[in-house]
Amino acid sequence: MRSRYTAFALGLDDYLLSSWHSTTRPAELGDDDCHWRHLQILDHGLAEDGSGHVYFKAVFCEGRAGRMRWGMLEERSRFLREEGHWRYVDGQPQVSRLKPGRNDPCPCGSGRKLKQCCG
């Protein structure tokens, strides 16, 4: 999951598609205007059927300085082994909007105030 998050953050579409399970892989990825800022893995494990899961929260922002909108993607992702590698199959995403104030902690996880960090 961490490698897929990094690929999303860096815009590495080829890696994202290659790490997707062949049964659910899209033909191409759409344009993404998100800037991924922080990943937190909350849970992971294996099921009896051999599949794996990762439960995570990822913080992102959209837009430009002065008009940035913050959000959080929370998802329980499912993975299966294919050709000796774990591949993303599907997930149960929930997106919520974050509305931090200028003096609130930055959602990126730095611990600094928003106005002194990403704001």
Side-chain angles (χ1 to χ4, degrees), residues 48-80:
E48 290 181 15
D49 65 358
S51 66
H53 76 273
V54 176
Y55 177 54
F56 70 92
K57 291 182 180 182
V59 175
F60 63 91
C61 64
E62 300 172 300
R64 299 183 193 141
R67 295 197 179 259
M68 291 192 337
R69 294 182 347 184
W70 289 89
M72 180 172 49
L73 169 67
E74 187 172 350
E75 181 175 306
R76 181 172 299 279
S77 300
R78 189 167 57 108
F79 292 82
L80 288 174

Side-chain angles (χ1 to χ4, degrees), residues 31-42:
D31 290 335
D32 188 7
D33 190 27
C34 292
H35 301 282
W36 296 96
R37 300 291 189 199
H38 182 68
L39 173 68
Q40 182 179 14
I41 304 289
L42 302 171

Side-chain angles (χ1 to χ4, degrees), residues 74-116:
E74 187 172 350
E75 181 175 306
R76 181 172 299 279
S77 300
R78 189 167 57 108
F79 292 82
L80 288 174
R81 301 275 279 162
E82 183 178 53
E83 298 177 1
H85 299 281
W86 286 105
R87 308 280 189 210
Y88 174 80
V89 177
D90 56 20
Q92 301 165 354
Q94 295 179 330
V95 176
S96 57
R97 287 282 163 213
L98 303 176
K99 296 185 180 191
R102 290 174 36 88
N103 290 316
D104 291 339
C106 188
C108 78
S110 69
R112 299 184 314 184
K113 290 182 180 181
L114 176 65
K115 68 183 180 184
Q116 296 171 336

